[in-house]
Amino acid sequence: MEDSAAVAGRLWDEWLPRSVRRLVGDVLPEGEADGRRLVVWLAGIHDVGKATPAFACQVEGLAQAMRDRGLEMRSREAMGAERRLVPHGLAGQVLLGAWLEERFGFGVKQAGQFSVVVGGHHGVPPEHGQIAAVEGRSHLLWTPGRSEPLWRRVQAELLDACADVLGVRGRLGAWRAVKLPQPVQVLLTAVVIVSDWMASSPELFPYFPEDVPRSGEERLAAAWKGLDLPGPWQPTVPAGPVEELFASRFELPPGASVRPVQEAAVELARQVDEPGLMVIEAPMGEGKTEAALAVAEIFASRAGAGGVFFALPTMATGNAMFPRLLKWLDRLPVSGEGRYSVLLAHSKAALNEDFTDLMRGRRIQALDLDGDAGRAPSAAGGAGRASAELVAHAWLRGRKKSMLSSFVAGTVDQLLFAGLKSRHLALRHLALAGKVVVIDEAHAYDTYMGMYLDRVLSWLGAYRVPVVVLSATLPAGRRRELVAAYSGRTAGPDGEGGFDAIADRGDYPLLTAVAPGGTPLLRRPGASGRGTPVIVERLEDAPEAVVGRLEEELAGGGCVLVVRNTVRRVLETAVVLRERFGPERVTVAHSCFLDVDRAVNDAALLTRFGPPGEATARPEGTHIVVASQVAEQSLDVDFDLLVTDLAPVDLMLQRMGRLHRHLRGGTGQAERPARLRTARCLVTGADWTASVPRPARGSVAVYGAYALLRSAAVLMPHLDDGPERPVRMPADISRLVQVAYADTAKVPAGWETVWEEARLRHEAHRADQAERAAVFRLGAAGRPGRPLFGWVAAGVGDADDTRQGRAQVRDSRESLEVVVVRRRQDGTLATVPWLAPDRRGRPRADLPLPTDQVPAAAAARTAASCGLRLPIQFSSPEVMDRAIAELEELYVPTWQAKDSPWLAGQLILALDADCQTLLAGFGLRYSPHDGLEVTRG
């Protein structure tokens, strides 16, 4: 009890961000001083429920010693399963509530808002039914009869002693009138959980020290030194001109200046009365990421936040963002002790070399009883870190603790999990409550994910967490939903800053800011000044038509991006293009590559097609990249010509953002081939000869007919008029998105029947998504003073970043993930043979994977990096079950060893010497150039 209380005090003083301390202190009579007392006291008493027969009976020898002192109890066997109905957390909640009511005159609800912290310290606050069940089982709290008064006295002595020693006896009377908001109850619970875990660590607090027992202060000092936990970020408000701020934080190209959107975002962040939600809508390539980080620094300094969480749509975009986050951290002024905990948050982070560099740089040390924690030489996880030390702290790498790191880049799932009823949800809320949250690509989330996101935003608003939302193509209705969810208001004054204004506003770029409970503010910065008119034309869907048109367009050379909506269409198109242009002039990019190959492919795309000055190997002559949707997000690539399947209009515009993205040879684009100096987008993937355009079947399966018809409808004037009416980038972005997603979208003549059928299917699908998402979605924060009983009732249990975990917050068909290895001709297994050495020069190709012993760590890790998600053909229940059964035939017991975790529990797909195999009736073939090809067996 003493150790837990002491740890809680140190966490409050040195680890919790100022914003969290302020949120707790603001509802207590003596502010943060009361907040510290409350946290320390609750941590000290959190295990008082162990002083009950139901818990004390577990070790017979110790139980008998207690019986000898008059504390009677039945044996563990005699109590049977009934004792599990009163776990010690629930018992402690009941004991504390009764003590507050009897000794200090608390009402039941008044006591409940404090006692629920004790009841929920194992991750799930008790439900009303569990609490009611205790009433008929008082023999589990104290043995009726002559020993009952003694049990009660022991329990009261413990609570009295904590009240006296921890200095709250004189405060409880004042706290009786306090109504703790539910967000504060959550944070108190989370801090108690963290304190409990630390104090329960025998490495930090040895049970049997060999020397003379130390005082509590000495024990705490040794443990805290051994833990060596980095403190929170403590930024100061960056002053001075915006240009100086950006020059000091980011590597701007020579001659580059701050974009109007960036300048306006910084000025708005400085001007708002209170940091809140800021939605930044601006074209692709306008530097929204840099604007978000600059705003995050200002918001953090003003709000007292201790870190940043950057949420991205996919693992690939998370991996791409992580080194950018590290570079930004390198350039920040040092604050506090100058050490920051950093995390890459997704299930395959341990395979990311930037993150593993940080993990190698520093490790938690075992406690030295002589007081010397034996700190390893400090390392920064990379070259050139002259500002702060960045560490992937070992204690913060656990599945439930990792988000407590100060700076995190990861998938949006980690954010959405905060809206999922699950065990230890309080820890996720504590992790977010002390940060600034940045949400990238906000338009990319469907109704199912959107319901979770809106609920999370409502809790972030309750925690007064600053949030920055980024999008190039956000419908105005969705903008309003995000603002309303965060602010807690759905209506407000009309006009310039009202909610009606943000729903109807079509300005672009646009900044929208709102504080919790506040009224929105709008800013309309200009674009960067360079516009690109894009001529859009129809193109027949047949691959031969694409080839013929490209032969014509590429007579003088050029770099072309062809975007298909399915992997199958990507590969079919690549075949015919290679027959005509040669395999060396056609590159394939899609989602069905090994993880390690996908990373290599993305890096190669940036090297060849990235911005001028950064792309060092842009092809001369002709080159064609055939890609799926992986080309839409987070890749700063630039092409001379675009061919794309019809897609929802916001995604069409994202794809157009890869066309003439940068100036090449001045305003006339003189460095591009003469025929391609005017930006053009050829739209295929539909039968344009029909009375109503008929999208390709695969595109309908991915996006639904309604979104594709709406896209075609808004693009039709541009398709009809061609050069006379180009899509003006960025001026037309918002107009096209708002019209396409408006509730009153105009239906083209003759489309009415097909349109209405598609709309009804779309609405039914959205209603189904909303209904299913509501099953495990967290409720909204209740009124202040209402105890957190049943907060995560009927939840999902543990939520984590696994395939099953992600399926709880994403409405996607379940898919199989496998680790791909190669079976040599002699029957032995090895890593695939084409892998290049790692960044340290160590080989990775064709490393042996013996089945009779634990593989070498380097070989096992390399194999684990060859993860592959099987495509949609394997998502039906029948095919999936058959595939799993066949994959489980290759079960290697030695690969399940605890000291070799890379391959444990993985499904292994072994390709033959020609990189082919059969699985569940399908033929699989893999190559590093084309990825996975699937055919009917």
Side-chain angles (χ1 to χ4, degrees):
M1 297 174 85
E2 184 181 36
D3 290 341
S4 296
V7 169
R10 190 64 68 95
L11 289 173
W12 179 276
D13 294 337
E14 300 185 22
W15 184 72
L16 285 180
R18 181 163 49 93
S19 59
V20 173
R21 301 196 306 267
R22 180 190 299 159
L23 191 73
V24 175
D26 280 351
V27 299
L28 296 168
E30 292 189 0
E32 293 185 26
D34 262 356
R36 189 185 191 281
R37 295 186 191 105
L38 179 57
V39 162
V40 170
W41 173 62
L42 289 172
I45 63 174
H46 79 276
D47 267 346
V48 68
K50 292 182 177 178
T52 57
F55 186 90
C57 70
Q58 294 182 89
V59 180
E60 181 58 30
L62 300 178
Q64 187 57 48
M66 287 181 265
R67 294 189 191 103
D68 293 343
R69 298 300 181 97
L71 294 170
E72 297 177 1
M73 72 188 86
R74 290 185 292 168
S75 69
R76 177 175 182 173
E77 290 73 19
M79 288 192 187
E82 186 182 32
R83 56 177 290 275
R84 298 177 184 172
L85 299 177
V86 188
H88 74 269
L90 174 57
Q93 175 178 299
V94 173
L95 297 179
L96 175 59
W99 182 79
L100 288 172
E101 293 166 30
E102 294 168 5
R103 296 288 181 92
F104 296 93
F106 277 64
V108 174
K109 287 187 177 180
Q110 292 170 316
Q113 60 184 339
F114 295 95
S115 65
V116 71
V117 175
V118 171
H121 80 266
H122 275 282
V124 179
E127 302 174 30
H128 290 282
Q130 294 174 294
I131 299 170
V134 178
E135 295 180 3
R137 296 178 172 82
S138 60
H139 59 282
L140 298 174
L141 300 180
W142 44 74
T143 303
R146 63 180 183 178
S147 72
E148 179 178 341
L150 186 57
W151 273 112
R152 291 178 179 268
R153 196 178 80 196
V154 167
Q155 294 157 355
E157 281 181 358
L158 289 170
L159 291 170
D160 286 341
C162 282
D164 292 333
V165 172
L166 302 177
V168 302
R169 181 177 292 277
R171 301 302 307 146
L172 287 169
W175 293 351
R176 187 174 56 217
V178 168
K179 291 185 176 181
L180 292 180
Q182 287 196 332
V184 171
Q185 297 177 46
V186 174
L187 297 180
L188 291 171
T189 303
V191 177
V192 168
I193 291 172
V194 175
S195 303
D196 180 22
W197 287 355
M198 289 181 175
S200 300
S201 169
E203 290 184 345
L204 299 175
F205 292 90
Y207 295 148
F208 304 106
E210 296 177 0
D211 54 354
V212 178
R214 299 182 174 195
S215 68
E217 293 80 2
E218 290 174 324
R219 284 170 57 79
L220 175 64
W224 196 257
K225 186 175 183 180
L227 182 62
D228 198 21
L229 195 65
W233 180 36
Q234 300 174 35
T236 56
V237 179
V242 177
E243 291 81 2
E244 292 182 6
L245 173 62
F246 273 71
S248 64
R249 303 296 191 266
F250 309 107
E251 297 177 359
L252 299 177
S257 59
V258 176
R259 307 281 174 80
V261 167
Q262 296 171 331
E263 183 171 11
V266 168
E267 294 300 336
L268 183 58
R270 289 170 168 172
Q271 293 168 3
V272 292
D273 293 335
E274 177 186 359
L277 172 73
M278 182 184 295
V279 182
I280 302 177
E281 298 172 65
M284 298 68 75
E286 285 290 292
K288 293 188 293 294
T289 297
E290 290 76 12
L293 291 173
V295 170
E297 183 178 357
I298 296 168
F299 275 178
S301 60
R302 296 187 59 191
V308 175
F309 173 50
F310 211 112
L312 299 120
T314 64
M315 292 185 195
T317 53
N319 285 337
M321 182 62 209
F322 191 62
R324 297 176 69 181
L325 181 68
L326 296 181
K327 289 181 180 179
W328 175 67
L329 289 173
D330 279 342
R331 290 172 164 262
L332 287 177
V334 176
S335 69
E337 64 177 9
R339 295 174 64 244
Y340 308 142
S341 53
V342 186
L343 174 76
L344 177 60
H346 61 66
S347 60
K348 298 183 180 180
L351 300 172
N352 180 282
E353 292 194 67
D354 289 307
F355 186 56
T356 55
D357 280 349
L358 288 179
M359 290 196 290
R360 292 189 190 102
R362 187 140 172 68
R363 302 187 181 188
I364 188 172
Q365 302 300 306
L367 181 66
D368 184 338
L369 291 175
D370 292 329
D372 182 5
R375 285 181 58 167
S378 176
R385 301 202 190 287
S387 52
E389 181 186 352
L390 308 181
V391 298
H393 196 274
W395 195 84
L396 294 174
R397 290 183 214 157
R399 177 168 52 89
K400 297 175 181 178
K401 300 177 292 187
S402 58
M403 286 289 291
L404 294 169
S405 300
S406 294
F407 293 96
V408 182
T411 58
V412 72
D413 309 81
Q414 300 292 340
L415 178 66
L416 301 183
F417 284 149
L420 182 71
K421 291 190 286 187
S422 56
R423 290 183 63 86
H424 291 104
L425 182 61
L427 290 179
R428 290 191 180 274
H429 280 226
L430 174 62
L432 295 173
K435 294 183 176 67
V436 178
V437 175
V438 181
I439 305 170
D440 199 12
E441 308 284 2
H443 57 275
Y445 311 124
D446 62 14
T447 299
Y448 190 92
M449 297 175 73
M451 288 193 66
Y452 279 99
L453 179 57
D454 289 354
R455 183 52 48 84
V456 172
L457 284 174
S458 73
W459 278 89
L460 294 180
Y463 290 120
R464 310 193 89 80
V465 169
V467 178
V468 185
V469 174
L470 307 179
S471 179
T473 52
L474 189 66
R478 185 65 185 131
R479 181 197 311 140
R480 175 172 180 158
E481 291 170 352
L482 295 172
V483 171
Y486 180 85
S487 68
R489 297 178 57 184
T490 56
D494 296 339
E496 187 69 12
F499 277 75
D500 289 341
I502 66 169
D504 299 335
R505 181 67 61 185
D507 299 280
Y508 192 76
L510 182 65
L511 306 179
T512 308
V514 68
T519 300
L521 300 174
L522 303 177
R523 295 290 185 272
R524 303 167 196 79
S528 60
R530 187 177 76 86
T532 303
V534 178
I535 298 171
V536 291
E537 305 175 28
R538 298 177 183 84
L539 179 61
E540 185 183 341
D541 189 40
E544 295 76 13
V546 175
V547 171
R549 183 61 181 271
L550 289 184
E551 281 186 309
E552 177 183 345
E553 299 291 349
L554 296 174
C559 298
V560 181
L561 174 63
V562 179
V563 183
R564 296 301 212 184
N565 291 338
T566 65
V567 173
R568 180 178 179 178
R569 287 172 63 81
V570 169
L571 296 175
E572 289 174 347
T573 303
V575 168
V576 296
L577 288 173
R578 283 173 175 156
E579 290 175 354
R580 169 59 187 86
F581 295 97
E584 72 282 355
R585 295 187 181 276
V586 179
T587 297
V588 166
H590 55 71
S591 58
C592 288
F593 277 89
L594 303 185
D595 292 334
V596 63
D597 288 342
R598 171 81 180 272
V600 170
N601 292 344
D602 286 352
L605 287 175
L606 291 171
T607 298
R608 303 171 87 179
F609 305 103
E614 297 181 25
T616 57
R618 189 171 181 87
E620 296 182 3
T622 295
H623 201 93
I624 305 169
V625 174
V626 190
S628 65
Q629 294 89 336
V630 299
E632 288 173 6
Q633 296 174 338
S634 301
L635 283 177
D636 187 0
V637 287
D638 173 27
F639 291 89
D640 302 319
L641 177 68
L642 173 67
V643 180
T644 175
D645 280 349
L646 179 66
V649 72
D650 50 334
L651 304 184
M652 293 286 287
L653 294 165
Q654 292 278 355
R655 296 172 187 183
M656 290 183 200
R658 274 63 186 158
L659 180 62
H660 286 213
R661 187 179 181 96
H662 300 286
L663 289 175
R664 295 189 179 275
T667 56
Q669 301 281 8
E671 293 179 4
R672 300 185 192 273
R675 187 180 180 88
L676 304 180
R677 290 173 188 168
T678 297
R680 279 178 296 141
C681 171
L682 310 181
V683 184
T684 182
D687 180 1
W688 298 109
T689 64
S691 57
V692 180
R694 275 202 299 269
R697 182 186 303 177
S699 299
V700 174
V702 174
Y703 297 117
Y706 189 51
L708 297 173
L709 288 175
R710 292 173 77 148
S711 180
V714 298
L715 290 174
M716 199 60 67
H718 302 279
L719 292 166
D720 288 341
D721 295 345
E724 303 302 320
R725 188 181 294 187
V727 174
R728 295 169 300 143
M729 300 283 286
D732 284 337
I733 290 178
S734 182
R735 178 185 63 81
L736 291 171
V737 170
Q738 307 317 326
V739 172
Y741 287 98
D743 293 334
T744 56
K746 183 179 180 181
V747 184
W751 294 24
E752 292 84 358
T753 301
V754 176
W755 184 282
E756 184 62 14
E757 291 174 352
R759 186 190 68 81
L760 291 174
R761 288 193 298 269
H762 172 74
E763 293 300 331
H765 177 63
R766 288 190 63 190
D768 176 66
Q769 284 187 313
E771 182 178 355
R772 287 185 289 109
V775 174
F776 295 119
R777 188 181 58 159
L778 185 67
R783 63 181 180 274
R786 181 179 179 181
L788 218 63
F789 301 145
W791 187 49
V792 294
V796 299
D798 286 320
D800 52 32
D801 194 13
T802 61
R803 174 171 53 85
Q804 296 88 346
R806 292 189 294 274
Q808 293 163 344
V809 292
R810 290 182 186 254
D811 186 32
S812 56
R813 296 181 67 175
E814 189 174 7
S815 60
L816 282 179
E817 291 187 39
V818 297
V819 168
V820 176
V821 301
R822 183 168 174 259
R823 192 181 297 279
R824 295 164 168 167
Q825 290 185 344
D826 62 3
T828 61
L829 300 177
T831 60
V832 293
W834 56 81
L835 301 179
D838 67 13
R839 65 171 59 176
R840 296 186 176 188
R842 296 173 299 189
R844 296 187 297 176
D846 203 32
L847 299 177
L849 295 166
T851 57
D852 59 346
Q853 60 185 352
V854 175
R861 184 181 187 277
T862 298
S865 71
C866 295
L868 175 68
R869 180 169 297 180
L870 297 180
I872 195 171
Q873 292 96 320
F874 294 88
S875 294
S876 67
E878 300 81 6
V879 175
M880 180 177 289
D881 289 344
R882 180 179 172 185
I884 292 174
E886 293 178 11
L887 290 166
E888 287 179 340
E889 292 177 7
L890 180 54
Y891 176 81
V892 184
T894 58
W895 292 6
Q896 316 306 316
K898 291 183 178 180
D899 57 350
S900 180
W902 294 108
L903 299 176
Q906 300 288 347
L907 294 172
I908 307 298
L909 178 67
L911 304 177
D912 64 20
D914 296 322
C915 291
Q916 301 183 60
T917 193
L918 293 174
L919 181 64
F922 290 92
L924 305 184
R925 178 180 181 275
Y926 188 88
S927 79
H929 303 294
D930 287 341
L932 184 69
E933 298 179 70
V934 180
T935 58
R936 283 286 179 183

